[in-house]
Amino acid sequence: MKLPDQIRNRFEQDGDFFIEGHILAGRPVRIMGFKSLVDLPKTWANLQSRVREAVPDIASDTDSSPTSALTVLNKLGRKISEPDEARLLAVLTAGDLIICYEDPETYLDVVPIPITLTRSIEQPLNENVLQGSASAFNDDLATNIGLLKRELNTASLRTQVYLAGNNSPRKLALLYLEGQVEPALLQEVSERLEAKKSWDLYNLQRLCKALGFQPWKAVPKLYTTELPMEAAHALRQGRVVLFLDRFPFAMILPALIGDMFMMENDRNYPILFMHLIRGLRIAGILINLIMPGLYVALVSVNPEVLRIELALTIAESRSGVPYPAFIETLLLLIVLELIIVASVRLPKSVGPTLTVVGGIILGQAVVEAKLVSSLLIIILAATSIANSAVVGFQNSLPIRLFKYLTLVLASLYGVLGVMSGLVIICAYLASVTTYGIPYLHFIKPKDDSNG
């Protein structure tokens, strides 16, 4: 059985597959592909137009020789060498069109006019920009690379494209600035991607595993961004950028501590305000880590640290609360985490309503029911606001996790436990490295003069 017949039998029950016989360049051919990926009328009209341009009147000349017709057809696409069923299936699932020429048996991989399956360039959904370009990456790999090239506009930008996966092939692009990137970093990333080209990369966990990252690290090794200006800034710093097809963001390697509180968009403000904004973000990180644990430490372990007036005020706010400070803080933190997770997953029309119900009505109800103190509501509200000051949603996740460490240590050792928690967190961050680059490393572009 010939290959086209094998492919037709394989997709016999697939209504999206087509295989049709036509006359092209005066010779009978069969074309096959998927209707959802190929705009067949426009593609066929384009092929006929290219044939007429190559050899006038050949489209209507049925007596033309097979050799001349094959020469024309070879100009329409790339000849598939050593064709087999697996090779043809890979071409079809990639969205290309296959032209089958029977005498002699030849298979051409033709890039068709595709059906538009991607959204246009829009504003970022998860990262707000006040002063700067509002264009965001989308689901198409070529569009994302083009946006980044328009942002950098330099001949030093280099792109390496990989086709990863055997069962579900997906394109992966590695971009770097020649002369800026660390050679050891580029070599390490390239070697790992080459070694794992057979892996199906359908999510970030698979990609991180292919890159050799340990799965149980609390700190992300990849920094994701929707903004081309942030990806361009990372390239100027000597880092590399990865794009995975159908993922609307760039992945920056390696992730560093500065990604939590520094954005390239900050440089569009006067330098004084830039440093003030970054200082507020650092303060937000510290508030998120310290405040819940400090409340528990001062209320249940070290109340003697407080002035007598403040101690009496706290005691009055906690009168009638049946739980220890640690339990009430932990329960309310879990409720706040549930509100955050629910607001992310719910539709936009319902999310704000849930936030209002959970943040205001529920908070007031638990205070009136004497289940938690009113001071704790204020502290945890400030903690939630401070958590949102961190740059990037993925960077806020480890901060949300680390605050439970300081909370537990504070309930055991008081203020000393809070300080011990901060020391442990700093020691852990200092131990994290990505391909030999410490997480606490600060990279400054060579042409930067003001931090």
Side-chain angles (χ1 to χ4, degrees):
M1 183 181 295
K2 294 185 177 181
L3 277 177
D5 296 326
Q6 295 179 20
I7 299 295
R8 182 177 56 189
N9 292 339
R10 184 183 182 92
F11 293 103
E12 187 176 2
Q13 304 299 324
D14 192 340
D16 188 42
F17 177 76
F18 68 86
I19 179 168
E20 301 176 354
H22 290 275
I23 300 296
L24 188 63
R27 309 302 300 176
V29 297
R30 284 199 282 183
I31 61 174
M32 52 184 171
F34 289 104
K35 300 175 185 177
S36 60
L37 300 177
V38 177
D39 192 333
L40 185 57
K42 292 183 180 180
T43 301
W44 180 247
N46 181 56
L47 289 175
Q48 289 181 318
S49 175
R50 291 168 61 184
V51 168
R52 285 193 295 268
E53 291 176 359
V55 181
D57 301 330
I58 195 172
S60 59
D61 184 8
T62 56
D63 297 328
S64 53
S65 66
T67 303
S68 62
L70 183 60
T71 302
V72 174
L73 289 176
N74 285 336
K75 297 180 180 180
L76 302 179
R78 180 178 58 86
K79 183 178 179 180
I80 301 176
S81 59
E82 300 180 1
D84 55 19
E85 185 176 356
R87 181 73 61 84
L88 297 186
L89 288 176
V91 173
L92 291 173
T93 55
D96 287 357
L97 186 74
I98 294 180
I99 297 180
C100 310
Y101 188 70
E102 296 183 355
D103 186 20
E105 187 175 5
T106 306
Y107 298 89
L108 297 180
D109 179 2
V110 177
V111 178
I113 297 177
I115 293 178
T116 303
L117 299 175
T118 58
R119 54 191 173 93
S120 59
I121 299 173
E122 301 172 354
Q123 293 186 358
L125 299 177
N126 302 315
E127 298 178 72
N128 294 325
V129 179
L130 297 181
Q131 292 188 162
S133 174
S135 299
F137 295 123
N138 65 10
D139 304 326
D140 184 60
L141 182 66
T143 302
N144 293 340
I145 296 175
L147 283 172
L148 190 53
K149 287 190 173 183
R150 288 290 298 272
E151 187 70 30
L152 277 172
N153 192 21
T154 175
S156 301
L157 182 61
R158 298 289 180 267
T159 305
Q160 297 178 9
V161 179
Y162 304 88
L163 187 62
N166 292 330
N167 298 323
S168 179
R170 190 184 292 263
K171 288 184 178 180
L172 175 70
L174 169 65
L175 291 89
Y176 61 92
L177 276 183
E178 191 174 31
Q180 295 281 350
V181 67
E182 294 289 337
L185 171 64
L186 177 61
Q187 181 180 0
E188 187 75 20
V189 175
S190 300
E191 289 178 354
R192 290 184 182 274
L193 291 178
E194 286 285 352
K196 299 296 190 296
K197 288 178 66 174
S198 60
W199 286 29
D200 293 322
L201 304 179
Y202 40 79
N203 54 44
L204 290 190
Q205 288 186 5
R206 293 280 296 179
L207 178 60
C208 290
K209 189 175 181 180
L211 291 170
F213 299 152
Q214 296 181 8
W216 293 102
K217 288 288 185 180
V219 176
K221 297 295 187 72
L222 289 172
Y223 170 52
T224 61
T225 179
E226 295 178 284
L227 305 177
M229 70 174 73
E230 298 298 325
H233 176 63
L235 290 175
R236 286 191 291 266
Q237 288 180 317
R239 294 192 270 180
V240 299
V241 170
L242 294 174
F243 286 115
L244 192 58
D245 197 20
R246 313 307 302 168
F247 279 71
F249 48 78
M251 291 157 281
I252 298 172
L253 272 173
L256 302 175
I257 184 68
D259 296 331
M260 285 190 177
F261 55 86
M262 293 193 301
M263 293 181 65
E264 175 64 11
N265 186 52
D266 298 339
R267 298 176 185 272
N268 293 327
Y269 300 100
I271 188 169
L272 175 62
F273 293 100
M274 179 189 75
H275 289 300
L276 288 175
I277 291 172
R278 292 178 176 178
L280 286 174
R281 292 181 185 140
I282 295 175
I285 295 174
L286 295 177
I287 289 173
N288 202 358
L289 290 175
I290 294 175
M291 287 298 290
L294 189 62
Y295 169 80
V296 173
L298 296 179
V299 168
S300 60
V301 182
N302 301 114
E304 68 277 1
V305 176
L306 300 172
R307 293 182 58 183
I308 185 63
E309 296 86 357
L310 183 58
L312 292 175
T313 301
I314 295 175
E316 183 180 357
S317 69
R318 297 198 72 253
S319 62
V321 176
Y323 308 114
F326 172 71
I327 298 299
E328 66 168 338
T329 304
L330 183 61
L331 290 177
L332 205 55
L333 279 175
I334 293 175
V335 171
L336 287 176
E337 297 289 349
L338 290 174
I339 293 174
I340 293 174
V341 172
S343 62
V344 170
R345 301 302 172 196
L346 284 175
K348 293 182 179 180
S349 58
V350 183
T353 304
L354 179 67
T355 304
V356 171
V357 171
I360 298 177
I361 300 177
L362 181 61
Q364 182 180 359
V366 295
V367 170
E368 292 182 354
K370 297 294 183 181
L371 295 178
V372 298
S373 66
S374 57
L375 179 60
L376 179 60
I377 295 292
I378 297 173
I379 289 175
L380 294 189
T383 301
S384 300
I385 294 172
N387 186 71
S388 302
V390 179
V391 176
F393 179 76
Q394 76 281 1
N395 286 328
S396 67
L397 297 178
I399 303 299
R400 287 162 59 183
L401 178 64
F402 290 153
K403 69 185 176 188
Y404 291 98
L405 172 64
T406 58
L407 179 65
V408 172
L409 292 176
S411 67
L412 297 175
Y413 306 109
V415 177
L416 180 61
V418 175
M419 300 304 297
S420 300
L422 293 178
V423 171
I424 293 174
I425 292 171
C426 291
Y428 173 74
L429 295 179
S431 68
V432 176
T433 60
T434 304
Y435 302 141
I437 301 176
Y439 182 70
L440 299 183
H441 180 57
F442 282 87
I443 300 178
K444 184 176 180 180
K446 297 178 181 178
D447 57 347
D448 188 15
S449 60
N450 60 3

